[in-house]
Amino acid sequence: MRARVGGTIGFEIGECLPKLLERLRIDLSFPNPEHISRRRMGRYTGGTPERIECLVEGGDGRSAVPRGAVGLLRRRATQLGVELTFEDERRVLPPIEVTATIQLRPYQARAVDAMAQGIQGSVVMPPGAGKTATGTAAIARIGQPTLIIVHTHDLVEQWHRSIERFLGFEAGVISDGDKQLAPITVATVQTLVRMSRREHADLSHRFGCVIVDEAHHAPASTFQVVLSTLAARYRFGLTATPEREDGLSPLLDLTLGDRLFEIGYPELVADGYLQAPEVRPVYTSFDFDYGGPDDMHACMDALVADEVRNDLIADLATREATNGHTILVLSGRVAHCRRLAKMVRERGADAEVLVGAVKKPKRKEILDRFRSGELPVVVASTLADEGLDVPRLDRVILTFPSRTKGRTAQRLGRLMRPHPGKSGAVLFDIVDASVAPLLRQFRERNRLYKRLAAGIQRRGAG
């Protein structure tokens, strides 16, 4: 059986042993978390497939599997006695001449080595470890025209700055209707997925390397569609949180390849590259007559509207701002963000709102002021959970309940970046202990805090 390796691994169904095809169907089929969630909540599931099928069978007699499934395909073929040959159609282009001026930390240099030798796969580093700098150095090391795929405008700006600073290169940008192509280009997946087949083919011919930032999003259908069209030889993912709680973690490796390099908080704190923050629970008097899961939405409505609770948060943010700290306040509701920012301003501290509706120029102005220390308080929605690079940040206030491990780790990691004069970073977790499910969510977050702290302490003691 011949398999062609490009954006995916494709083969003729007629050449594939039926037992192998059936085995691959089973291996590459996963429960769809969206379907499970809709069914659990009693919502309409029509149009939402029950399973995610990663073996794509076309009507033209051809099938394809994700490129990272090469090891699985080899194993299954060997088990069934199928002779498998590969035709490498991955794209390698004339090299680009760029030199990185960045001084890599030892672990970053090891990550770049792993990427250069591994050809495809993921690199796992916690927030603050320098994933963007590592990726930028890898671009120079590999020397191929590179497309960087992100999912937020803030990440576009972050990569653009890193490439200009460390490579002396003006990166192209594909985002929101802009299409400025360059040998190194940063693109939002939302714009790429809307492109025509012809435009996808053009991109595939332009780049020999693809980097997916915040790669734990790669299992999403938008990323799957885009990556299937890109035949670059080098394909990498960068992430701080590879484990997904929806059960789709295997799709990360299937899409991008095996894990090439991984390092965690304990090693980086012990070596002085990150700072361990303190976690302080702040208990509220909020109460709600919670009868079951159907009440959760109403409970959240009541929670964000509770004035006593909001006063507690605004007073806390204002006090910390008055004491000279840089504070990020996080909420899951846009209206709540706006309300809290207004309350902080009424108390005499400068505060801005950062949500999805904030236009690009205004967002850049807010983040520039926040990074410089001119703006003490930003109240943000989940937009700020990923890709927010503010080293001076030393206070985070979590105002909205969540038990998502990846998101909690991201938020804690925001405080760990070193900065001159920064010490004693604190995460304030607002705890609504009178409402049973909210208290359970805090206990889950607290277990994660303790695991991270225990790991750091064990590493430091060694």
Side-chain angles (χ1 to χ4, degrees):
M1 180 177 118
R2 290 173 302 145
R4 297 178 306 281
V5 184
T8 60
I9 301 174
F11 54 87
E12 301 288 339
I13 294 177
E15 294 183 8
C16 184
L17 189 71
K19 284 184 178 179
L20 175 57
L21 195 62
E22 183 57 31
R23 186 66 256 179
L24 290 173
R25 286 193 188 104
I26 296 170
D27 289 333
L28 298 173
S29 177
F30 302 89
N32 186 350
E34 177 66 19
H35 187 278
I36 293 170
S37 175
R38 286 177 171 272
R39 186 179 60 198
R40 183 182 298 130
M41 298 173 66
R43 296 170 61 187
Y44 177 65
T45 59
T48 305
E50 190 171 343
R51 300 188 69 82
I52 296 174
E53 309 294 347
C54 295
L55 172 65
V56 179
E57 300 180 60
D60 56 359
R62 296 178 180 176
S63 284
V65 299
R67 211 168 88 175
V70 60
L72 171 66
L73 181 58
R74 280 195 175 111
R75 287 196 305 274
R76 292 303 186 200
T78 300
Q79 289 167 2
L80 294 171
V82 175
E83 184 178 347
L84 187 62
T85 60
F86 289 95
E87 296 178 4
D88 193 351
E89 298 177 358
R90 294 173 298 181
R91 203 166 307 284
V92 179
L93 299 173
I96 55 174
E97 298 296 331
V98 290
T99 302
T101 58
I102 182 172
Q103 184 67 43
L104 292 176
R105 298 167 180 172
Y107 67 88
Q108 292 172 329
R110 295 198 304 273
V112 171
D113 288 343
M115 293 170 77
Q117 296 166 13
I119 299 180
Q120 67 177 26
S122 59
V123 169
V124 180
M125 295 180 177
K131 292 187 296 295
T132 306
T134 300
T136 302
I139 292 170
R141 173 77 171 273
I142 291 164
Q144 281 287 294
T146 300
L147 178 67
I148 301 146
I149 304 176
V150 301
H151 73 295
T152 70
H153 297 295
D154 294 327
L155 286 171
V156 172
E157 295 295 331
Q158 184 174 313
W159 275 94
H160 200 275
R161 289 195 307 271
S162 179
I163 291 163
E164 185 172 23
R165 177 184 176 188
F166 296 125
L167 301 184
F169 194 93
E170 183 75 18
V173 173
I174 302 175
S175 176
D176 282 348
D178 292 335
K179 187 179 178 183
Q180 304 167 16
L181 289 169
I184 304 173
T185 296
V186 190
T188 60
V189 67
Q190 297 90 338
T191 301
L192 293 177
V193 78
R194 293 195 298 267
M195 286 183 166
S196 67
R197 183 176 297 182
R198 179 178 296 178
E199 288 174 308
H200 284 154
D202 177 60
L203 284 179
S204 185
H205 281 83
R206 286 178 178 269
F207 298 104
C209 178
V210 171
I211 295 176
V212 180
D213 198 6
E214 303 295 353
H216 49 280
H217 293 294
S221 59
T222 48
F223 282 90
Q224 295 288 314
V225 168
V226 169
L227 288 168
S228 71
T229 68
L230 299 171
R233 174 176 173 79
Y234 296 93
R235 178 187 288 186
F236 305 111
L238 305 174
T239 181
T241 53
E243 304 304 326
R244 293 174 56 109
E245 295 184 38
D246 59 7
L248 296 183
S249 299
L251 267 69
L252 174 61
D253 292 344
L254 287 173
T255 303
L256 298 170
D258 294 336
R259 208 161 294 180
L260 297 174
F261 179 84
E262 183 169 9
I263 195 166
Y265 288 119
E267 298 95 325
L268 298 181
V269 171
D271 292 339
Y273 295 116
L274 295 180
Q275 300 177 2
E278 176 188 353
V279 176
R280 294 183 195 169
V282 177
Y283 291 89
T284 78
S285 61
F286 174 73
D287 201 359
F288 185 83
D289 185 14
Y290 184 86
D294 291 343
D295 292 335
M296 183 54 77
H297 189 79
C299 179
M300 293 299 98
D301 287 344
L303 180 141
V304 299
D306 189 278
E307 285 306 306
V308 174
R309 187 179 189 275
N310 287 338
D311 280 336
L312 174 69
I313 296 166
D315 287 345
L316 173 59
T318 304
R319 183 193 76 201
E320 296 302 312
T322 302
N323 290 334
H325 297 292
T326 300
I327 305 107
L328 175 66
V329 183
L330 290 170
S331 174
R333 298 278 182 90
V334 171
H336 193 220
C337 292
R338 299 189 193 283
R339 174 66 179 146
L340 291 174
K342 182 173 183 290
M343 293 174 72
V344 171
R345 287 194 294 269
E346 288 170 348
R347 284 161 168 76
D350 195 3
E352 291 281 2
V353 173
L354 193 64
V355 296
V358 176
K359 298 297 184 184
K360 239 190 310 190
K362 180 64 174 178
R363 182 169 57 242
K364 184 178 186 302
E365 175 198 330
I366 290 171
L367 288 174
D368 285 348
R369 292 179 61 214
F370 199 38
R371 291 187 184 102
S372 71
E374 177 189 345
L375 175 65
V377 182
V378 165
V379 187
S381 65
T382 52
L383 175 77
D385 275 3
E386 294 175 343
L388 184 66
D389 184 22
V390 184
R392 71 167 54 247
L393 182 69
D394 63 349
R395 295 291 186 269
V396 168
I397 304 175
L398 304 185
T399 75
F400 200 78
S402 170
R403 60 183 173 192
T404 305
K405 293 177 184 177
R407 186 166 292 172
T408 301
Q410 290 267 6
R411 290 165 171 174
L412 193 64
R414 298 282 163 249
L415 293 165
M416 292 181 138
R417 291 169 168 86
H419 188 268
K422 174 177 170 179
S423 63
V426 179
L427 181 143
F428 294 99
D429 193 322
I430 308 299
V431 184
D432 305 289
S434 298
V435 184
L438 305 188
L439 179 59
R440 284 197 299 271
Q441 289 184 13
F442 166 69
R443 285 172 174 164
E444 291 186 32
R445 294 194 300 275
N446 202 37
R447 280 194 288 271
L448 177 62
Y449 299 147
K450 289 180 178 178
R451 280 201 301 273
L452 290 172
I456 289 167
Q457 290 165 6
R458 283 196 302 271
R459 178 74 180 186

